[in-house]
Amino acid sequence: MTHTPSAPDAVVPGPLSAPVTPDELPSLRRRVQAGLIATQILGGLGIAIGFALAAVLARDVSGTEALSGLASTASVAGSALLAMPLATLMTRRGRRAGLVLAYLLAAVGAGVVVLGAVLGNFPLLLAGLVGFGAGSSANLAARFAAADLAEPDRRARAISTVVWATTIGAVLGPNVAAPAGKSVSGLGVPAAAGPFVWAAGVFVLAAAVVAVLLRPDPLLTARALDAGAGEAPEGRSLRAGMDAVRRSPRARIALVTIAGTHTAMVSIMSMTPVALTHHGAGIQLIGLVISGHIAGMYAFSPLMGWLSDRLGRLAVIGLAVGLIGTAALVAGTAGASHGRTALGLFILGLGWSAGLVSGSALLTDSVPQAARAAVQGLSDFVMNTAAGLGGLAAGLIVAKAGYGPLNAIAACLLLPMAALALRGALRKA
């Protein structure tokens, strides 16, 4: 039930939040942002530690390269499957409850991955990776939590600041994959599974940080402060989200942008470690390439947020199309040049950042407050479902045709996104 304030100094956000007055809002924004930044650092570290060698681990356990793409598919599928249940939970109980649950599920998933690797059981490994995908669900949901209390003309910058925080953990993660592998030597755990042991501990810590710091809850607070927000959608969040998107052409542009950007990125990035091994790259070099890619994804997100607020969401969506197209060309024609592959992956990260930040801000702008959690959950469901299919197809494409054709096909995913953004810009003009 939404609480409408009866006086300016009596706003009660809900059962998980402390009373908040409008005068306290600036300090509340800072506190919530600090908590989200801390969890993004930890969440980014946990995801990157495990994901750096996920495809290699899947290849080793399954015994075939054609199934290596299932590693990213399983993880992304987990994120997709959890997106709507988490959105429903957040709609009713707030961001804090959903984020804590997601990080704990990710920790359990990482443990199951290790068990599957030890037993040489590929289906069990994939089941663990599905649970591991909850870490991505949490990190993705956190960007919307940053937007809950942001002023409209600073919304993209609020999103980008939290996205940027992932840089620290995400860049560090792949580079500690080798030490994590060595740490389990003598324990009967394959070296490629060692990173998941570390990831489990990091996710538990992230859940604890959310539980302690994310008070009062930003979503419940924002809903209470918006007297015209109306009731939160009842019933299934999937239906509520679809109804809201159906009524907003700009929300549809945002949804296609987020899904297209993420699918192209996951398809190319997930198979890059395998492509590099074809040309003699070792674990340390793969870690450096993936670190550069992740730096592109997160380190420049404040710039993308600033551009999105200043130039408009659609202009930055166009930038994302150009960057990802360039990345596919550079990486897809790199051949044995590790430096060229690294450059392509860095540009790919920049394009993903531009698309995610601008698309997320546009999506939040385009729907009413009461429906935002449902629409945001729908967005994460669609983007992860599409990316999961892309990761599955990527492994098959590389096995049958090669890494170059994979990049060309991924670039084609940009066409619907570019067409809708151009149509939206022409309508606005």
Side-chain angles (χ1 to χ4, degrees):
M1 186 76 178
T2 301
H3 298 271
T4 301
S6 57
D9 58 350
V11 178
V12 183
L16 294 181
S17 300
V20 175
T21 67
D23 289 341
E24 295 171 333
L25 194 53
S27 62
L28 173 57
R29 289 190 182 113
R30 291 191 293 270
R31 289 201 306 275
V32 168
Q33 188 173 68
L36 291 171
I37 287 172
T39 57
Q40 285 294 91
I41 292 172
L42 292 169
L45 176 61
I47 294 166
I49 290 175
F51 201 70
L53 296 178
V56 175
L57 181 62
R59 182 193 63 188
D60 292 345
V61 174
S62 68
T64 173
E65 192 169 280
L67 296 180
S68 59
L70 285 176
S72 65
T73 299
S75 180
V76 173
S79 296
L81 290 171
L82 287 167
M84 296 315 302
L86 287 175
T88 301
L89 178 61
M90 290 181 187
T91 297
R92 296 173 180 172
R93 299 291 303 279
R95 302 288 186 191
R96 180 169 162 266
L99 292 176
V100 168
L101 176 62
Y103 281 128
L104 291 178
L105 287 174
V108 172
V112 174
V113 168
V114 175
L115 181 61
V118 170
L119 299 177
N121 187 316
F122 188 60
L124 185 62
L125 177 79
L126 292 181
L129 286 167
V130 170
F132 185 79
S136 294
S137 296
N139 270 31
L140 288 170
R143 79 190 192 276
F144 289 124
D148 287 334
L149 296 174
E151 296 166 308
D153 62 348
R154 297 186 62 86
R155 190 167 283 149
R157 275 169 280 189
I159 292 171
S160 66
T161 299
V162 171
V163 172
W164 170 85
T166 312
T167 308
I168 301 171
V171 172
L172 180 62
N175 289 294
V176 301
K182 292 178 182 177
S183 71
V184 298
S185 62
L187 300 178
V189 177
F196 288 94
V197 176
W198 287 28
V202 171
F203 284 136
V204 170
L205 182 57
V209 170
V210 170
V212 171
L213 295 184
L214 213 65
R215 295 173 180 270
D217 189 273
L219 178 60
L220 299 180
T221 302
R223 192 177 295 156
L225 291 172
D226 186 352
E231 298 289 338
E234 296 293 334
R236 296 183 60 186
S237 287
L238 179 61
R239 180 179 295 277
M242 292 176 65
D243 288 344
V245 169
R246 190 178 298 115
R247 292 191 293 267
S248 173
R250 289 172 69 82
R252 292 196 291 273
I253 296 173
L255 197 64
V256 170
T257 295
I258 294 169
T261 296
H262 193 59
T263 303
M265 185 278 290
V266 169
S267 300
I268 296 172
M269 185 271 285
S270 64
M271 295 310 298
T272 298
V274 174
L276 286 169
T277 61
H278 289 167
H279 298 290
I283 290 179
Q284 288 187 329
L285 179 57
I286 292 173
L288 287 173
V289 172
I290 298 301
S291 290
H293 166 67
I294 294 173
M297 290 173 65
Y298 299 115
F300 295 88
S301 58
L303 173 62
M304 302 304 176
W306 181 82
L307 289 173
S308 186
D309 283 336
R310 292 296 297 272
L311 303 180
R313 318 308 193 205
L314 297 178
V316 180
I317 289 173
L319 176 62
V321 171
L323 287 169
I324 297 175
T326 300
L329 176 63
V330 173
T333 58
S337 173
H338 296 153
R340 189 177 172 89
T341 301
L343 176 61
L345 265 288
F346 175 73
I347 298 172
L348 179 66
L350 291 177
W352 178 88
S353 180
L356 187 77
V357 169
S358 59
S360 299
L362 180 62
L363 187 70
T364 304
D365 293 342
S366 303
V367 295
Q369 171 65 251
R372 281 178 186 165
V375 171
Q376 290 158 353
L378 174 64
S379 167
D380 286 349
F381 170 75
V382 171
M383 71 182 281
N384 284 307
T385 299
L389 294 174
L392 174 61
L396 298 174
I397 292 168
V398 169
K400 299 295 183 181
Y403 184 65
L406 169 65
N407 279 267
I409 293 170
C412 292
L413 298 174
L414 305 172
L415 296 177
M417 172 176 148
L420 283 175
L422 179 60
R423 182 180 179 186
L426 292 174
R427 280 182 173 178
K428 187 177 180 180

